[in-house]
Amino acid sequence: MTKRLFSLSLVALATTQAHAATSYRLEVIDQPVGAYQTTGTTIATDGTIGGGITTRLSAKTVDEEVVYHDELGRYDDETVGALYNDIVDETTGRYRSLSTNVAYIGEPTLTLLPGLGAEDEDLTVDTAVNGESEGLYFGYSSGPWSTVTFTNSSDEEETHYVRDFTTRGYVTDLTQSHALMPIYTIPTTSRGDQEVLNADEHFGGVSLANGGAGQWVVGQSSIGLGTGGESIYENCQDEDSIIPIRTCLRSLSYQSEATAWTLVDGVPSTPKAIGLLAEPEDDDDPANFASSAQAVNIHGLAVGQSVVRDGRYLRNVATLFDVNEGKALKALTVTNDTISSSIANDINDDGIAVGRAVFPSTYSTSKFFVYNTNDDTITYPASFYDSANSIAYAVNNSGLVVGAADWERVPPSSSRRQHAFVYDLNNDSFKDLNDLLQFDGSLLTQRYDGDTCAAREDWTLEYARDINDNGEIVATAVTTLRDTSGNLVLDDDGATQYVLRAVKLVPTDEEPASCVTDQDEPYQRKGSGSMGLLSLGLLGLLGWRRRR
């Protein structure tokens, strides 16, 4: 797309008709050049941003040989290639996988977070960072892999990769990590007279850390076995079984419930269930009844989502929890033919919650909402246009809400480009963050010859995920891949490469430049298709959250 500045007369006219605009200076963390993607999920009180790295491993054919490469440059091609080959090996690799997401923080340089794995296990252990509270970061991690060898029924030695858990929450002070234990893990297990698992090993179960404030971290954890779990567990206890118990139990699923952990000197306490809005009845599958807390404020009010019963339907609804009492208090939206589902993603210390509700129609439309827990009022502010999907991810203690909304006007059945927004609930002001961008002087000069509008063309903010009480925002932008000198890095076919990059937005007093868009040209992100809002919203119970 091509943008140009309004004439000075038009700018002057605009500023006489509205309040002075707020602008944001875009800052990029120092990171290796590569065709990987970084997304932003959290911004700490001190302005440090955190998020995830995806598509870091690539493969291409060189002289008829496949070469595997780490786009971050942490491992050489030989090491990465050996891992790829091991993964596809039918004997030793079939139970192991490569990581698809790695957590990082960046202030000012990109630093990987190991989660619950070792620092050199980031190619095989998935990690996510969802927030920060009082200097402690939290998120979730997959389990590190180990091997177990046994003699199979053909009297041949066989090796399996196993791990003690698939997903577990963690909290870290960046020097030491602590696991957030689930409410339920596998009990002491025997095969005949032989004990094969001890309850003290805390094998299995799942937990996620999504939000935190003060002494609390909240998320969800397993409370029991899921659908078919009892029969799998029973079969794995067969004394004639020769399959290692950790291999046998790897396919277990679990029931989950919103959970809170109290932190004492950075160490988590015993997990505490904080409720469901609906309990299963006699003929119900308990695994269908779940809840998750996405955020908590300093008073112990948490928000998230819980299953409720709507006649013969079960629906997910935005929910308010009381951490102190350990119970789900109420639904924040209705769930019927008007609203099919909803989720609350954040709550500030004044009791203002934000999230998203889905309105069923020929093409479902999601709208962001603001809920005041003090007087039980809910509003659905307008976004870019009436039928635009929108979602609010975070609200700070000044009443500033950030999120994403459909910006491109195309038919509802088509993928729509999204833009990040900031909404001020104090004056009902909704703004496109892309229109408020300023750029660091060196970035602006080196890459764009001082042209702010040219810089905005190259940085499109798709969504804003968090805002701290200083008004600093972490967002994710689509931009062109460039080297350290600011030159475009083309792919093997000579085409421009587009990547996702997490950015920090710092509020300034400068009046933002006004740009006019002549035309919009479609772009395609390298390694990914369009990322719709509904797919982002479905992360609800998967724990992407963070702390203000």
Side-chain angles (χ1 to χ4, degrees):
M1 71 184 107
T2 303
K3 299 181 182 177
R4 65 178 185 275
L5 284 171
F6 275 114
S7 67
L8 291 178
S9 60
L10 287 177
V11 173
L13 177 61
T15 56
T16 60
Q17 295 177 329
H19 293 93
T22 302
S23 64
Y24 291 87
R25 183 179 69 254
L26 182 145
E27 296 183 356
V28 184
I29 59 175
D30 184 18
Q31 55 194 298
V33 175
Y36 55 89
Q37 321 292 338
T38 61
T39 56
T41 57
T42 184
I43 186 161
T45 305
D46 66 2
T48 300
I49 71 170
I53 302 170
T54 59
T55 64
R56 65 177 285 190
L57 301 181
S58 62
K60 63 180 180 180
T61 302
V62 179
D63 296 330
E64 299 184 351
E65 182 179 350
V66 179
V67 176
Y68 301 96
H69 181 66
D70 176 15
E71 295 286 344
L72 290 180
R74 283 173 55 86
Y75 300 94
D76 59 33
D77 293 351
E78 183 178 354
T79 300
V80 178
L83 265 176
Y84 261 108
N85 293 331
D86 186 52
I87 292 299
V88 299
D89 185 277
E90 65 177 5
T91 301
T92 62
R94 56 186 170 182
Y95 301 125
R96 185 166 66 151
S97 59
L98 291 172
S99 61
T100 58
N101 190 88
V102 181
Y104 73 88
I105 59 171
E107 188 62 35
T109 59
L110 183 146
T111 302
L112 301 189
L113 295 181
L116 297 174
E119 289 187 3
D120 61 353
E121 293 181 311
D122 54 290
L123 288 180
T124 56
V125 172
D126 281 300
T127 54
V129 58
N130 292 328
E132 176 270 348
S133 177
E134 299 184 357
L136 298 173
Y137 289 87
F138 50 82
Y140 60 90
S141 170
S142 65
W145 296 97
S146 60
T147 57
V148 59
T149 301
F150 68 103
T151 302
N152 63 24
S153 57
S154 299
D155 202 29
E156 297 173 337
E157 190 175 87
E158 188 170 330
T159 299
H160 287 179
Y161 279 106
V162 295
R163 55 187 177 183
D164 287 347
F165 54 87
T166 55
T167 306
R168 188 154 293 174
Y170 71 88
V171 59
T172 180
D173 62 3
L174 304 183
T175 61
Q176 183 178 13
S177 295
H178 297 279
L180 297 168
M181 300 308 298
I183 293 171
Y184 173 86
T185 56
I186 301 300
T188 296
T189 304
S190 299
R191 285 175 170 170
D193 296 331
Q194 182 182 5
E195 182 180 297
V196 290
L197 270 182
N198 189 280
D200 291 339
E201 297 179 63
H202 299 293
F203 178 85
V206 296
S207 64
L208 302 170
N210 299 330
Q215 63 180 315
W216 291 292
V217 171
V218 298
Q220 69 187 93
S221 76
S222 51
I223 59 171
L225 293 174
T227 304
E230 291 290 349
S231 60
I232 293 173
Y233 181 60
E234 182 178 342
N235 291 336
C236 287
Q237 296 177 74
D238 186 346
E239 63 180 315
D240 294 326
S241 177
I242 61 174
I243 301 294
I245 189 67
R246 283 170 164 77
T247 299
C248 190
L249 295 175
R250 69 181 183 272
S251 60
L252 284 176
S253 61
Y254 301 92
Q255 304 172 49
S256 62
E257 184 172 331
T259 304
W261 296 263
T262 301
L263 301 180
V264 180
D265 296 327
V267 178
S269 65
T270 301
K272 176 183 181 180
I274 57 174
L276 294 162
L277 284 179
E279 297 289 343
E281 298 177 357
D282 292 341
D283 295 332
D284 291 326
D285 182 349
N288 292 331
F289 291 76
S291 62
S292 175
Q294 300 296 103
V296 63
N297 66 17
I298 62 171
H299 307 296
L301 285 179
V303 293
Q305 190 177 60
S306 177
V307 166
V308 296
R309 194 184 303 276
D310 176 24
R312 60 190 182 93
Y313 297 106
L314 296 177
R315 302 184 188 273
N316 289 310
V317 60
T319 303
L320 182 68
F321 302 90
D322 186 329
V323 172
N324 293 295
E325 296 295 327
K327 63 181 180 181
L329 296 177
K330 59 186 173 183
L332 301 186
T333 68
V334 298
T335 51
N336 49 30
D337 292 340
T338 304
I339 297 177
S340 58
S341 66
S342 59
I343 184 171
N345 292 323
D346 200 12
I347 184 170
N348 69 12
D349 294 338
D350 294 323
I352 304 300
V354 299
R356 171 201 64 132
V358 177
F359 295 79
S361 61
T362 304
Y363 299 101
S364 293
T365 299
S366 63
K367 297 287 188 183
F368 85 92
F369 66 78
V370 177
Y371 186 98
N372 189 331
T373 64
N374 301 291
D375 58 13
D376 291 326
T377 57
I378 190 168
T379 58
Y380 297 90
S383 59
F384 293 116
Y385 52 93
D386 287 345
S387 62
N389 293 293
S390 61
I391 184 170
Y393 288 116
V395 56
N396 70 3
N397 287 323
S398 297
L400 295 178
V401 180
V402 295
D406 288 345
W407 171 80
E408 195 172 27
R409 292 175 179 266
V410 295
S413 58
S414 304
S415 296
R416 300 173 177 179
R417 200 178 307 178
Q418 294 93 40
H419 276 192
F421 70 78
V422 58
Y423 170 73
D424 188 343
L425 61 87
N426 301 290
N427 56 21
D428 192 32
S429 172
F430 179 94
K431 294 182 180 180
D432 187 339
L433 281 168
N434 289 279
D435 295 337
L436 307 178
L437 284 183
Q438 305 283 25
F439 294 85
D440 175 81
S442 60
L443 177 67
L444 191 64
T445 301
Q446 181 186 47
R447 294 191 184 182
Y448 310 108
D449 294 327
D451 186 345
T452 296
C453 293
R456 285 188 190 170
E457 287 183 28
D458 201 31
W459 293 88
T460 300
L461 303 176
E462 284 204 330
Y463 54 93
R465 285 289 292 271
D466 197 13
I467 181 169
N468 64 19
D469 285 338
N470 297 320
E472 298 168 319
I473 297 169
V474 62
T476 299
V478 176
T479 188
T480 51
L481 180 60
R482 295 174 181 263
D483 62 23
T484 54
S485 298
N487 302 309
L488 290 172
V489 177
L490 306 180
D491 66 15
D492 293 340
D493 297 321
T496 299
Q497 300 184 81
Y498 291 92
V499 292
L500 289 177
R501 288 292 181 260
V503 297
K504 177 180 175 179
L505 306 179
V506 180
T508 78
D509 293 331
E510 300 175 27
E511 186 74 17
S514 298
C515 301
V516 174
T517 301
D518 286 340
Q519 60 183 354
D520 290 321
E521 299 173 357
Y523 61 80
Q524 184 171 350
R525 185 180 315 128
K526 182 176 177 61
S528 171
S530 175
M531 186 182 346
L533 275 169
L534 292 181
S535 64
L536 287 171
L538 291 176
L539 294 174
L541 292 181
L542 297 182
W544 47 259
R545 275 264 329 140
R546 58 333 84 341
R547 150 86 178 142
R548 286 177 298 282

